[in-house]
Amino acid sequence: MRAVVLEEFGTPLVLGEIRQPVPGPGEVLVRVEASGVNPLDTKIRAGHAAHARTVLPAVLGLDLAGVVVETGPDVAAFAPGDAVYGLTGGVGDVQGSLAECAVADVRLLARAPDALTPRQAAALPLTAATAWEGLIDRAQVRAGQKVLVHGGAGGVGSVAVQIARSRGAEVFATASPSRLGIVEGLGATPIDRTATTVEEYTATHTGGEGFDVVFDTVGGPVLDASFAAVRTYTGHVVSSLGWGTHSLAPLSFRGATYSGVFTLLPLLTGRGRAHHGEIMHAVGELADAGRLAPVLDPRLFTLADVADAHAAVATGTAQGKIVIDVG
């Protein structure tokens, strides 16, 4: 089968032929229709993502949407012909989705939402799992809360806005001036991150009390700003990029709490895989109810264009999630 292979970190990806995998117990063989591209993919290729524990040579691609063509022993949850999606590989020693076929652990999969195309479904798994773990599993977002999403027009942020709104929260989101319209279109109150300080927008939107939940998808100074924007005592900050060195003083002085999200753990350790499948199922229900859809970049890429797709993500020129059409 055709696949895009990374032979050495920092080198171009190579389109070639590799052996088609065979599903084992608890696995299915999926004919890949689409593969989402994430910033992590470009960092792995460059050799800047040691936490992904990538074993070379590697087929990258975390997000998958496709059709089951074969089931392994003792698999009852799916059958050939089922349309599925999930966060299924591309890190550690697990083959990713930049290939015509991929073997996937059935625990990581859910049936693809009927309301979404394969391209749309492939855009969701990593972003949706990250947003769900942060907002639902960690912060337990609920109706009546004020939620601030940093980077609300990005891949994780745009999904987080929609998940928080589906729970009945009032959502605010920071973005650059050119992307404020995306945030507003998703139903959040837009905040121009270049034109107002954390003290100013916290005063404007919460009367200085702070947001009940702050979800940081950017990291660095934005996580520091999150500590200053959260509500005293009951506030909760969640970050998917909390990997730097930060002063906890602003958070501690508020008596608030913090949680980190590391979405790759189920893939890397095997623990929590069934929950990722549950998240995909829940997200699919939201999509079919018309309450969640990814923001897609309109450009079309194939396996032959993976280098261009990665460049669009790495340079920040993508206007939504980049998706590779495989099938």
Side-chain angles (χ1 to χ4, degrees), residues 111-137:
R111 283 177 170 78
D114 293 332
L116 302 184
T117 66
R119 284 175 51 79
Q120 290 175 307
L124 281 175
L126 177 63
T127 56
T130 303
W132 191 279
E133 285 191 28
L135 291 174
I136 308 303
D137 294 344

Side-chain angles (χ1 to χ4, degrees), residues 13-14 46 102 104 112 116 122 163 179 195 241 257 262 264 276 291 320 325:
L13 297 166
V14 178
L116 302 184
I163 289 175
R179 311 201 76 189
L241 286 172
T257 55
F262 185 41
L264 302 183
H276 266 199
R291 306 181 75 179
D325 290 310

Side-chain angles (χ1 to χ4, degrees), residues 124-139 141 149 155-164 215 217 238 240 261 263 279 283 292:
L124 281 175
L126 177 63
T127 56
T130 303
W132 191 279
E133 285 191 28
L135 291 174
I136 308 303
D137 294 344
R138 306 291 191 276
V141 166
V149 177
V156 175
S158 60
V159 176
V161 166
Q162 295 174 80
I163 289 175
F215 191 10
T217 73
V238 184
S240 58
V261 175
T263 318
I279 292 173
V283 167
L292 189 151

Side-chain angles (χ1 to χ4, degrees), residues 33-274:
E33 294 190 323
S35 170
V37 182
N38 296 284
L40 177 59
D41 296 308
T42 68
K43 294 174 183 175
I44 291 173
R45 183 187 58 78
H48 298 155
H51 62 283
R53 307 178 196 172
T54 304
V55 178
L56 298 179
V59 175
L60 304 185
L62 295 106
D63 296 329
L64 172 149
V67 177
V68 174
V69 294
E70 183 182 347
T71 61
D74 302 322
V75 171
F78 300 102
D82 287 343
V84 295
Y85 80 131
L87 173 60
T88 60
V91 296
D93 61 355
V94 184
Q95 182 206 308
S97 54
L98 287 178
E100 291 178 320
C101 290
V103 160
D105 183 334
V106 296
R107 294 174 295 174
L108 296 166
L109 293 172
R111 283 177 170 78
D114 293 332
L116 302 184
T117 66
R119 284 175 51 79
Q120 290 175 307
L124 281 175
L126 177 63
T127 56
T130 303
W132 191 279
E133 285 191 28
L135 291 174
I136 308 303
D137 294 344
R138 306 291 191 276
Q140 301 176 351
V141 166
R142 57 192 180 273
Q145 290 185 318
K146 289 190 174 184
V147 175
L148 172 65
V149 177
H150 285 301
V156 175
S158 60
V159 176
V161 166
Q162 295 174 80
I163 289 175
R165 292 191 70 242
S166 77
R167 290 287 169 132
E170 182 181 4
V171 185
F172 305 80
T174 63
S176 58
S178 65
R179 311 201 76 189
L180 292 174
I182 295 175
V183 167
E184 190 168 19
L186 294 172
T189 299
I191 299 173
D192 185 345
R193 63 176 178 81
T194 68
T196 182
T197 66
V198 60
E199 292 80 13
E200 289 170 341
Y201 63 68
T202 300
T204 298
H205 298 298
T206 74
E209 292 295 319
F211 298 90
D212 297 291
V213 176
V214 182
F215 191 10
D216 160 45
T217 73
V218 182
V222 175
L223 180 52
D224 293 316
S226 301
F227 294 156
V230 72
R231 181 181 290 274
T232 299
Y233 290 133
T234 59
H236 194 105
V237 176
V238 184
S239 179
S240 58
L241 286 172
W243 301 340
T245 301
H246 302 270
S247 170
L248 295 179
L251 188 72
S252 298
F253 289 149
R254 285 169 174 76
T257 55
Y258 168 80
S259 294
V261 175
F262 185 41
T263 318
L264 302 183
L265 275 177
L267 272 177
L268 294 174
T269 68
R271 297 177 60 185
R273 288 190 174 189

